[in-house]
Short mmCIF file of all heavy atoms in Angstrom, two decimals:
data_model
loop_
_atom_site.label_atom_id
_atom_site.label_comp_id
_atom_site.label_asym_id
_atom_site.label_seq_id
_atom_site.Cartn_x
_atom_site.Cartn_y
_atom_site.Cartn_z
N GLY A 37 -5.88 -17.95 16.73
CA GLY A 37 -5.62 -17.53 15.28
C GLY A 37 -4.45 -16.83 15.04
O GLY A 37 -4.26 -15.72 14.45
N ALA A 38 -3.30 -17.31 15.84
CA ALA A 38 -2.07 -16.49 15.76
C ALA A 38 -1.08 -16.96 14.71
O ALA A 38 0.00 -16.47 14.75
CB ALA A 38 -1.46 -16.65 17.17
N SER A 39 -1.48 -17.88 13.80
CA SER A 39 -0.59 -18.41 12.88
C SER A 39 -0.50 -17.55 11.68
O SER A 39 0.55 -17.60 10.88
CB SER A 39 -0.87 -19.82 12.55
OG SER A 39 -2.12 -19.92 12.09
N TYR A 40 -1.44 -16.78 11.37
CA TYR A 40 -1.49 -15.94 10.14
C TYR A 40 -2.15 -14.64 10.40
O TYR A 40 -2.78 -14.46 11.53
CB TYR A 40 -2.39 -16.68 9.07
CG TYR A 40 -1.76 -17.93 8.54
CD1 TYR A 40 -2.23 -19.23 9.05
CD2 TYR A 40 -0.81 -17.91 7.51
CE1 TYR A 40 -1.53 -20.38 8.51
CE2 TYR A 40 -0.24 -19.08 6.96
CZ TYR A 40 -0.71 -20.27 7.57
OH TYR A 40 -0.10 -21.52 7.05
N GLY A 41 -2.08 -13.68 9.45
CA GLY A 41 -2.88 -12.50 9.45
C GLY A 41 -2.77 -11.64 10.62
O GLY A 41 -1.78 -11.43 11.08
N ILE A 42 -3.87 -11.25 11.09
CA ILE A 42 -3.99 -10.23 12.23
C ILE A 42 -3.40 -10.79 13.54
O ILE A 42 -2.51 -10.24 14.13
CB ILE A 42 -5.47 -9.83 12.51
CG1 ILE A 42 -6.03 -9.19 11.27
CG2 ILE A 42 -5.55 -8.82 13.65
CD1 ILE A 42 -7.50 -8.84 11.39
N GLY A 43 -3.65 -12.13 13.83
CA GLY A 43 -3.09 -12.71 15.08
C GLY A 43 -1.60 -12.85 15.03
O GLY A 43 -0.94 -12.48 16.09
N ALA A 61 -3.50 -21.96 17.24
CA ALA A 61 -3.99 -22.16 15.89
C ALA A 61 -3.88 -23.57 15.47
O ALA A 61 -3.33 -24.41 16.30
CB ALA A 61 -3.22 -21.22 14.85
N ARG A 62 -4.19 -23.89 14.27
CA ARG A 62 -4.14 -25.30 13.86
C ARG A 62 -2.68 -25.70 13.36
O ARG A 62 -2.23 -26.78 13.65
CB ARG A 62 -5.09 -25.77 12.79
CG ARG A 62 -6.57 -25.84 13.36
CD ARG A 62 -7.49 -25.92 12.10
NE ARG A 62 -7.25 -24.78 11.23
CZ ARG A 62 -7.97 -24.63 10.08
NH1 ARG A 62 -8.91 -25.50 9.68
NH2 ARG A 62 -7.77 -23.56 9.39
N THR A 63 -2.11 -24.72 12.66
CA THR A 63 -0.86 -25.07 11.83
C THR A 63 0.40 -25.01 12.84
O THR A 63 0.94 -23.97 13.01
CB THR A 63 -0.74 -24.08 10.71
OG1 THR A 63 -1.93 -23.85 10.09
CG2 THR A 63 0.15 -24.57 9.61
N CYS A 86 -4.07 -26.40 18.04
CA CYS A 86 -5.37 -26.80 18.42
C CYS A 86 -6.42 -26.49 17.31
O CYS A 86 -6.39 -25.38 16.81
CB CYS A 86 -5.78 -26.15 19.76
SG CYS A 86 -7.42 -26.36 20.27
N ASP A 87 -7.28 -27.48 16.98
CA ASP A 87 -8.48 -27.11 16.18
C ASP A 87 -9.66 -26.70 17.01
O ASP A 87 -10.26 -27.59 17.63
CB ASP A 87 -8.83 -28.44 15.30
CG ASP A 87 -9.94 -28.11 14.36
OD1 ASP A 87 -10.52 -26.94 14.46
OD2 ASP A 87 -10.19 -28.90 13.46
N LEU A 88 -9.76 -25.42 17.10
CA LEU A 88 -10.92 -24.95 17.95
C LEU A 88 -12.25 -25.21 17.57
O LEU A 88 -13.23 -25.12 18.36
CB LEU A 88 -10.74 -23.33 18.05
CG LEU A 88 -9.52 -22.86 18.67
CD1 LEU A 88 -9.32 -21.28 18.40
CD2 LEU A 88 -9.45 -23.16 20.05
N THR A 89 -12.48 -25.84 16.42
CA THR A 89 -13.77 -26.35 16.10
C THR A 89 -14.06 -27.75 16.77
O THR A 89 -15.25 -28.20 16.85
CB THR A 89 -14.02 -26.61 14.46
OG1 THR A 89 -13.04 -27.60 14.01
CG2 THR A 89 -13.93 -25.36 13.76
N ASN A 113 -9.44 -14.10 18.26
CA ASN A 113 -9.14 -13.69 17.01
C ASN A 113 -9.29 -14.68 15.84
O ASN A 113 -9.66 -14.42 14.65
CB ASN A 113 -7.68 -13.09 16.92
CG ASN A 113 -7.17 -12.85 15.53
OD1 ASN A 113 -7.65 -11.87 14.83
ND2 ASN A 113 -6.42 -13.72 15.02
N ALA A 114 -9.25 -16.03 16.28
CA ALA A 114 -9.38 -17.10 15.26
C ALA A 114 -10.79 -17.02 14.60
O ALA A 114 -11.80 -16.65 15.19
CB ALA A 114 -9.27 -18.44 15.81
N GLY A 115 -10.69 -17.08 13.25
CA GLY A 115 -12.02 -16.99 12.52
C GLY A 115 -12.01 -17.49 11.11
O GLY A 115 -10.83 -17.67 10.65
N LEU A 138 -16.35 -22.47 14.95
CA LEU A 138 -15.21 -21.61 15.19
C LEU A 138 -15.50 -20.20 15.54
O LEU A 138 -14.84 -19.70 16.60
CB LEU A 138 -14.32 -21.61 13.93
CG LEU A 138 -13.02 -20.84 13.99
CD1 LEU A 138 -12.05 -21.42 15.05
CD2 LEU A 138 -12.32 -20.69 12.69
N VAL A 164 -12.22 -9.80 18.24
CA VAL A 164 -12.01 -9.30 16.86
C VAL A 164 -13.12 -9.61 16.07
O VAL A 164 -13.35 -10.71 15.56
CB VAL A 164 -10.61 -9.88 16.36
CG1 VAL A 164 -10.47 -9.31 14.93
CG2 VAL A 164 -9.41 -9.65 17.21
N SER A 165 -14.01 -8.59 15.99
CA SER A 165 -15.29 -8.74 15.29
C SER A 165 -15.31 -8.02 13.97
O SER A 165 -14.23 -7.47 13.51
CB SER A 165 -16.42 -8.25 16.22
OG SER A 165 -17.63 -8.62 15.72
N ALA A 166 -16.41 -8.14 13.32
CA ALA A 166 -16.48 -7.53 11.97
C ALA A 166 -17.65 -6.49 11.87
O ALA A 166 -18.62 -6.78 12.53
CB ALA A 166 -16.67 -8.68 10.96
N TYR A 180 -20.89 -16.79 7.69
CA TYR A 180 -19.99 -15.93 8.36
C TYR A 180 -20.61 -14.93 9.29
O TYR A 180 -20.40 -14.92 10.37
CB TYR A 180 -18.91 -15.17 7.38
CG TYR A 180 -18.00 -14.31 7.99
CD1 TYR A 180 -16.97 -14.87 8.89
CD2 TYR A 180 -17.94 -12.92 7.74
CE1 TYR A 180 -15.97 -14.02 9.39
CE2 TYR A 180 -16.99 -12.15 8.21
CZ TYR A 180 -16.04 -12.64 9.08
OH TYR A 180 -15.04 -11.76 9.58
N LYS A 184 -20.53 -14.73 13.32
CA LYS A 184 -19.78 -13.63 13.98
C LYS A 184 -20.79 -12.94 14.86
O LYS A 184 -20.47 -12.41 15.86
CB LYS A 184 -19.10 -12.76 13.01
CG LYS A 184 -17.93 -13.30 12.25
CD LYS A 184 -16.71 -13.54 13.10
CE LYS A 184 -15.89 -12.34 13.32
NZ LYS A 184 -14.61 -12.89 14.07
N PHE A 210 -14.14 -4.47 12.81
CA PHE A 210 -13.19 -4.06 11.69
C PHE A 210 -13.99 -4.07 10.42
O PHE A 210 -14.73 -5.06 10.12
CB PHE A 210 -12.01 -5.15 11.56
CG PHE A 210 -10.87 -4.85 12.49
CD1 PHE A 210 -10.32 -5.92 13.31
CD2 PHE A 210 -10.25 -3.57 12.51
CE1 PHE A 210 -9.25 -5.63 14.19
CE2 PHE A 210 -9.21 -3.40 13.35
CZ PHE A 210 -8.73 -4.39 14.17
N PRO A 211 -13.63 -3.05 9.58
CA PRO A 211 -14.03 -3.32 8.11
C PRO A 211 -13.03 -4.21 7.44
O PRO A 211 -12.37 -4.99 8.20
CB PRO A 211 -13.87 -1.84 7.60
CG PRO A 211 -12.88 -1.26 8.47
CD PRO A 211 -12.95 -1.87 9.78
N LEU A 212 -13.01 -4.32 6.23
CA LEU A 212 -12.17 -5.37 5.64
C LEU A 212 -10.58 -5.03 5.93
O LEU A 212 -10.18 -3.91 6.19
CB LEU A 212 -12.15 -5.18 3.96
CG LEU A 212 -13.46 -5.70 3.41
CD1 LEU A 212 -13.50 -5.50 1.89
CD2 LEU A 212 -13.71 -7.18 3.66
N VAL A 213 -9.95 -6.10 6.29
CA VAL A 213 -8.50 -6.01 6.49
C VAL A 213 -7.69 -6.80 5.50
O VAL A 213 -8.21 -7.96 5.27
CB VAL A 213 -8.19 -6.51 7.95
CG1 VAL A 213 -6.79 -6.34 8.25
CG2 VAL A 213 -9.04 -5.83 8.98
N THR A 215 -5.82 -9.41 4.50
CA THR A 215 -5.30 -10.66 4.88
C THR A 215 -5.76 -11.80 4.02
O THR A 215 -6.53 -11.43 3.05
CB THR A 215 -5.69 -11.16 6.35
OG1 THR A 215 -7.10 -11.41 6.23
CG2 THR A 215 -5.45 -10.06 7.44
N ARG A 216 -5.18 -12.95 4.19
CA ARG A 216 -5.47 -14.10 3.29
C ARG A 216 -6.99 -14.25 3.33
O ARG A 216 -7.66 -14.85 2.41
CB ARG A 216 -4.65 -15.28 3.59
CG ARG A 216 -4.98 -15.81 4.92
CD ARG A 216 -4.47 -17.21 5.23
NE ARG A 216 -5.01 -17.77 6.50
CZ ARG A 216 -4.89 -19.00 6.91
NH1 ARG A 216 -4.12 -19.82 6.29
NH2 ARG A 216 -5.55 -19.36 8.03
N MET A 217 -7.68 -13.94 4.52
CA MET A 217 -9.11 -14.18 4.60
C MET A 217 -9.94 -13.57 3.37
O MET A 217 -10.83 -14.11 2.99
CB MET A 217 -9.59 -13.61 5.98
CG MET A 217 -11.10 -13.91 6.10
SD MET A 217 -11.65 -13.40 7.78
CE MET A 217 -11.26 -14.89 8.76
N ILE A 218 -9.51 -12.36 3.03
CA ILE A 218 -10.36 -11.72 1.99
C ILE A 218 -9.88 -12.03 0.51
O ILE A 218 -10.66 -11.61 -0.26
CB ILE A 218 -10.43 -10.10 2.19
CG1 ILE A 218 -9.14 -9.39 1.99
CG2 ILE A 218 -11.03 -9.83 3.57
CD1 ILE A 218 -9.33 -7.95 1.93
N1 NAP B 1 -9.67 -9.91 7.10
C1 NAP B 1 -10.86 -9.22 7.29
O1 NAP B 1 -11.25 -8.44 6.38
C2 NAP B 1 -11.48 -9.13 8.59
C3 NAP B 1 -12.46 -8.13 8.80
C4 NAP B 1 -13.21 -8.15 10.04
C5 NAP B 1 -12.89 -9.04 11.00
N2 NAP B 1 -11.94 -10.03 10.80
C6 NAP B 1 -11.66 -11.03 11.85
O2 NAP B 1 -10.42 -11.05 12.04
C7 NAP B 1 -10.02 -12.29 12.60
C8 NAP B 1 -8.59 -12.80 12.06
O3 NAP B 1 -8.78 -12.89 10.69
P1 NAP B 1 -7.65 -12.70 9.54
O4 NAP B 1 -8.15 -11.78 8.65
O5 NAP B 1 -6.34 -12.51 10.20
O6 NAP B 1 -7.74 -14.26 8.86
P2 NAP B 1 -6.57 -15.25 8.53
O7 NAP B 1 -5.31 -14.61 8.10
O8 NAP B 1 -7.24 -16.33 7.71
O9 NAP B 1 -6.28 -15.85 10.09
C9 NAP B 1 -7.36 -16.69 10.64
C10 NAP B 1 -6.58 -17.36 11.79
O10 NAP B 1 -7.57 -18.16 12.49
C11 NAP B 1 -6.95 -19.47 12.67
N3 NAP B 1 -7.94 -20.58 12.45
C12 NAP B 1 -8.75 -20.78 11.44
N4 NAP B 1 -9.42 -22.01 11.77
C13 NAP B 1 -9.07 -22.42 12.86
C14 NAP B 1 -9.47 -23.51 13.76
N5 NAP B 1 -10.28 -24.43 13.42
N6 NAP B 1 -8.78 -23.64 15.02
C15 NAP B 1 -7.78 -22.78 15.47
N7 NAP B 1 -7.46 -21.70 14.70
C16 NAP B 1 -8.06 -21.58 13.47
C17 NAP B 1 -5.95 -19.62 11.42
O11 NAP B 1 -4.97 -20.54 11.71
P3 NAP B 1 -4.78 -21.97 11.14
O12 NAP B 1 -5.27 -21.99 9.68
O13 NAP B 1 -3.38 -22.37 11.30
O14 NAP B 1 -5.71 -22.86 12.11
C18 NAP B 1 -5.39 -18.26 11.34
O15 NAP B 1 -4.32 -18.06 12.30
C19 NAP B 1 -11.11 -13.22 12.29
O16 NAP B 1 -11.87 -13.47 13.47
C20 NAP B 1 -11.99 -12.50 11.39
O17 NAP B 1 -13.45 -12.76 11.33
C21 NAP B 1 -11.25 -10.09 9.64
#
Side-chain angles (χ1 to χ4, degrees):
S39 56
Y40 293 96
I42 298 171
R62 284 169 308 179
T63 319
C86 171
D87 182 350
L88 293 170
T89 60
N113 170 74
L138 182 63
V164 180
S165 190
Y180 181 62
K184 291 295 274 188
F210 278 128
L212 289 176
V213 183
T215 66
R216 66 176 190 165
M217 182 176 272
I218 68 168

